[in-house]
Amino acid sequence: MSNDYNFAYLDEQTKRMIRRGLLKSIAIPGYQVPFASREMPMPYGWGTGGVQVTSACLVPEDKIKVIDQGADDTTNAVSIRQFFEKTAKVETTTHTEKASLIQTRHRIPEHDLDENQILVYQVPIPEPLRFLEPRESETRKMHALTEYGLMHVKLYEDIAHHGHIATSYAYPVKVEGRYVMDPSPIPKFDNPKMSMCPALQLFGAGREQRLYAIPPYCEVISLDFEDHPFTRLKANAECELCSANNSYLDEVIIDDEGNRMFVCSDTHYCEARQADGHRGKRNRLDQEGYDATHI
Amino acid sequence: MQPIFEATGISKSYGHILGCSNINLSLYSGEVMGIVGESGSGKSTLLNCLSAQIMPDQGEVIFRSPSRGEVDILKLSEAEQRYLARTEWAYVHQNPRDGLRMSVSAGGNVGERLMNIGNRHYGNIRTKAEDWMSRVELDTSRIDHRPSTFSGGMQQRLQIARNLVTEPRLIFMDEPTGGLDVSVQARLLDLLRSLVQELSLSVIIVTHDLAVIRMLADRMVVMKNGNVVEAGLADQVLDDPQHPYTQLLVSSILQV
């Protein structure tokens, strides 16, 4: 069957425009670069920004992995993977370490990334100051003049109302001591992984038409107060399938009685551990031959 | 003694329409200057020019800052203007909704300027916010309530606390008592007068209410059609107005 799509769906001029924006965003870590986002054959909020960035970065030799909240097998991940299989005919994989480009929605893989990888984030709202300052003209000025006191007002409100910094995702960070950036809605558990990461991290917001980036080995600091320092947040449990106690966990309701279990949100990490013989408590209880990945 | 604030030859027009023309005024440390005039007389234009919120067509504004010495406000970069505006200056809006963040708690509102200038200790910020709330006679148990749950007078006092927390030297006020009922106005004026004396603040206050001038101001200027028609000591101008327009203003005060 012939492929009627241009390689990776977008036309070459559009990809060039996006690459130009990406180069600028890499040159100024954390700075939001406007770009002429295109209509994509998927609704806004499903990763149109990330898909455009992936499309602009893709080469035929790439091997791509798509995750949605850490999982390779959810609707968003499957459909975007199929999209690139169809339009770019690139190889896809679920293995973090084998992928050369990983598009992600709201997670950073547990497995360490390396210098040959690109991590592409899907971003709903790129402006970290947005909910406190609705005017775009004003937030741009605040970025330009490094006026970031307002970001701490948000954290102050958290402590005043909850006794601790209750923001648990989209936790604001400062990149290379200059721009304050929204890391997209990743859990704050993942925030430290962004700092000094060997992989290139690119962020695309389709509806908001913004690109930004963290080049490899950049310092990324999560904002906090001296007397309320940043803490990673993770359920106080271990994965019930692979017994990992250092990975980010999802709480899954498993029946109508309200029983629940904790499992790794990163499905590939969990499966790889189980293949290595690690067993969680729910896995041990079941009889032999039980395929835990089908829960 | 040199004035802390000196404006010379301030002119601003909007196309053919005159905002204010060739205004000179100076303000000494600890002094309260009132600007009065009817609606459309150019008071707000002048105040916005003086506080560098709009650029006048002509003129210069000198501020003698305790930390930076003599600076020409209008020649500063925008970054420096904004820094000055949230450290050594303050601006109290007529409508507290313009000066407050209505979706942020009272404590966060007061603490914002502290965080803006780099304060990163939650406990200290909160203690200071409580301190300032009590100084403007707000109930500190409401520190975590949003200003939208406050009455108009409380909102205005909160706005004042929010502005004074960084201990500015110079405060611009645009009709701070407008829209408040008389008993609340009286309490607010009382508060302002004691704060001005206690902290030896310099204030430029724009109002159409001569009672406010009588109570707060040391000196005043009267504006009409973009020009200053009379200037002098507040009591002197109010008791013995020379210009026909001032005479009209003074005689229009309602006597109860």
Side-chain angles (χ1 to χ4, degrees):
Chain A
M1 197 181 85
S2 75
N3 190 349
D4 295 329
Y5 291 106
N6 189 37
F7 178 73
Y9 185 76
L10 290 174
D11 61 279
E12 294 304 315
Q13 284 304 314
T14 301
K15 286 194 271 186
R16 226 171 116 173
M17 174 270 293
I18 296 172
R19 286 176 198 140
R20 210 178 287 141
L22 288 173
L23 285 176
K24 183 168 180 180
S25 68
I26 293 165
I28 317 171
Y31 172 72
Q32 298 170 46
V33 181
F35 80 112
S37 175
R38 298 290 191 250
E39 287 281 335
M40 296 302 282
M42 61 181 69
Y44 287 127
W46 284 65
T48 52
V51 165
Q52 289 179 77
V53 172
T54 302
S55 173
C57 294
L58 219 53
V59 292
E61 298 77 38
D62 265 328
K63 204 175 224 191
I64 96 164
K65 168 183 164 87
V66 184
I67 49 175
D68 171 7
Q69 310 272 9
D72 292 283
D73 51 6
T74 50
T75 320
N76 201 194
V78 171
S79 61
I80 292 174
R81 199 159 54 225
Q82 284 175 349
F83 176 79
F84 285 114
E85 277 170 4
K86 190 171 178 185
T87 59
K89 303 239 181 296
V90 289
E91 227 184 306
T92 57
T93 178
T94 58
H95 289 254
T96 305
E97 63 277 14
K98 287 183 190 156
S100 58
L101 190 151
I102 303 171
Q103 180 172 335
T104 175
R105 174 171 177 267
H106 309 178
R107 266 319 302 281
I108 298 175
E110 304 291 353
H111 196 283
D112 287 340
L113 302 174
D114 65 44
E115 287 178 0
N116 299 315
Q117 292 178 309
I118 300 177
L119 186 59
V120 176
Y121 296 76
Q122 301 171 196
V123 182
I125 293 165
E127 179 51 72
L129 302 161
R130 177 60 69 239
F131 289 108
L132 290 150
E133 178 52 68
R135 289 168 296 176
E136 175 72 14
S137 57
E138 185 67 14
T139 53
R140 280 199 203 185
K141 205 169 273 179
M142 291 161 89
H143 281 293
L145 304 177
T146 347
E147 289 179 5
Y148 289 129
L150 200 52
M151 213 63 255
H152 276 85
V153 173
K154 181 178 149 67
L155 302 179
Y156 170 95
E157 288 292 284
D158 262 7
I159 304 174
H161 291 127
H162 304 287
H164 63 279
I165 300 179
T167 303
S168 57
Y169 65 96
Y171 192 102
V173 294
K174 192 168 227 180
V175 184
E176 281 290 300
R178 178 59 178 86
Y179 283 96
V180 165
M181 189 193 93
D182 183 340
S184 87
I186 60 170
K188 67 177 171 183
F189 175 84
D190 283 343
N191 270 19
K193 293 186 204 163
M194 287 191 293
S195 193
M196 292 296 154
C197 176
L200 172 62
Q201 301 173 76
L202 302 174
F203 297 76
R207 182 184 46 211
E208 304 287 324
Q209 314 201 320
R210 293 289 183 278
L211 301 168
Y212 51 103
I214 305 174
Y217 301 110
C218 269
E219 187 185 49
V220 179
I221 291 174
S222 305
L223 301 181
D224 60 3
F225 283 103
E226 288 158 15
D227 47 346
H228 286 267
F230 172 80
T231 49
R232 287 178 102 176
L233 180 78
K234 176 187 165 297
N236 188 20
E238 61 177 38
C239 174
E240 293 180 22
L241 296 181
C242 76
S243 77
N245 56 14
N246 55 356
S247 73
Y248 191 72
L249 301 176
D250 282 341
E251 190 176 17
V252 185
I253 294 175
I254 49 177
D255 57 25
D256 289 346
E257 268 83 63
N259 287 315
R260 52 196 64 198
M261 67 186 281
F262 286 101
V263 287
C264 291
S265 106
D266 186 335
T267 52
H268 166 252
Y269 180 76
C270 196
E271 282 162 21
R273 275 181 58 85
Q274 290 174 60
D276 285 348
H278 296 280
R279 284 281 181 264
K281 69 175 181 200
R282 201 166 291 271
N283 238 356
R284 279 195 295 267
L285 288 176
D286 291 310
Q287 62 275 49
E288 217 162 316
Y290 176 81
D291 188 353
T293 55
H294 283 170
I295 282 188
Chain B
M1 194 169 92
Q2 281 188 311
I4 184 172
F5 185 81
E6 217 171 353
T8 36
I10 300 292
S11 299
K12 172 75 188 170
S13 56
Y14 305 98
H16 301 297
I17 302 160
L18 181 69
C20 59
S21 101
N22 197 23
I23 311 276
N24 300 303
L25 53 86
S26 58
L27 185 73
Y28 289 86
S29 180
E31 190 180 38
V32 179
M33 162 81 79
I35 302 174
V36 293
E38 61 193 356
S39 297
S41 61
K43 307 186 298 269
S44 296
T45 297
L46 178 61
L47 193 70
N48 285 334
C49 287
L50 296 179
S51 58
Q53 297 193 33
I54 55 175
M55 257 312 181
D57 302 331
Q58 276 171 7
E60 65 172 7
V61 180
I62 301 291
F63 175 59
R64 293 197 173 81
S65 147
S67 65
R68 323 177 29 148
E70 190 173 309
V71 285
D72 185 345
I73 297 305
L74 303 173
K75 293 214 174 74
L76 289 180
S77 70
E78 194 180 8
E80 292 172 306
Q81 281 177 354
R82 284 168 69 109
Y83 183 75
L84 205 61
R86 59 170 194 259
T87 51
E88 292 178 16
W89 287 10
Y91 194 103
V92 177
H93 294 264
Q94 171 175 9
N95 187 344
R97 277 157 205 279
D98 297 335
L100 292 171
R101 292 193 189 276
M102 299 307 279
S103 57
V104 167
S105 71
N109 265 296
V110 179
E112 181 178 342
R113 277 169 76 109
L114 294 172
M115 292 181 247
N116 267 329
I117 58 170
N119 212 315
R120 293 289 178 265
H121 192 283
Y122 175 81
N124 294 351
I125 292 167
R126 200 166 168 85
T127 317
K128 266 209 154 151
E130 272 173 352
D131 176 40
W132 271 99
M133 280 183 73
S134 60
R135 283 171 89 161
V136 297
E137 297 161 21
L138 285 170
D139 182 358
T140 49
S141 69
R142 299 199 63 181
I143 188 166
D144 292 332
H145 294 198
R146 291 183 176 185
S148 49
T149 66
F150 286 14
S151 71
M154 288 165 72
Q155 287 178 0
Q156 195 57 287
R157 274 177 280 151
L158 184 64
Q159 192 193 179
I160 289 163
R162 169 184 158 93
N163 275 291
L164 291 185
V165 68
T166 49
E167 292 172 17
R169 302 313 315 151
L170 176 61
I171 304 174
F172 300 97
M173 292 188 188
D174 189 3
E175 310 257 12
T177 57
L180 301 175
D181 68 56
V182 270
S183 60
V184 176
Q185 266 191 30
R187 273 184 70 193
L188 189 72
L189 285 173
D190 233 22
L191 172 73
L192 283 175
R193 193 163 61 171
S194 59
L195 285 174
V196 162
Q197 278 169 2
E198 193 183 321
L199 306 167
S200 97
L201 299 169
S202 308
V203 181
I204 296 180
I205 184 166
V206 160
T207 181
H208 55 240
D209 187 348
L210 291 178
V212 172
I213 298 293
R214 174 73 91 181
M215 197 155 168
L216 281 180
D218 302 310
R219 284 193 299 143
M220 67 183 285
V221 295
V222 182
M223 287 187 72
K224 187 176 192 314
N225 296 334
N227 290 292
V228 170
V229 293
E230 190 162 355
L233 295 173
D235 288 341
Q236 190 184 347
V237 174
L238 291 175
D239 291 339
D240 182 19
Q242 300 296 311
H243 190 273
Y245 175 68
T246 319
Q247 290 168 354
L248 179 73
L249 265 187
V250 172
S251 65
S252 323
I253 301 176
L254 289 176
Q255 300 294 335
V256 184

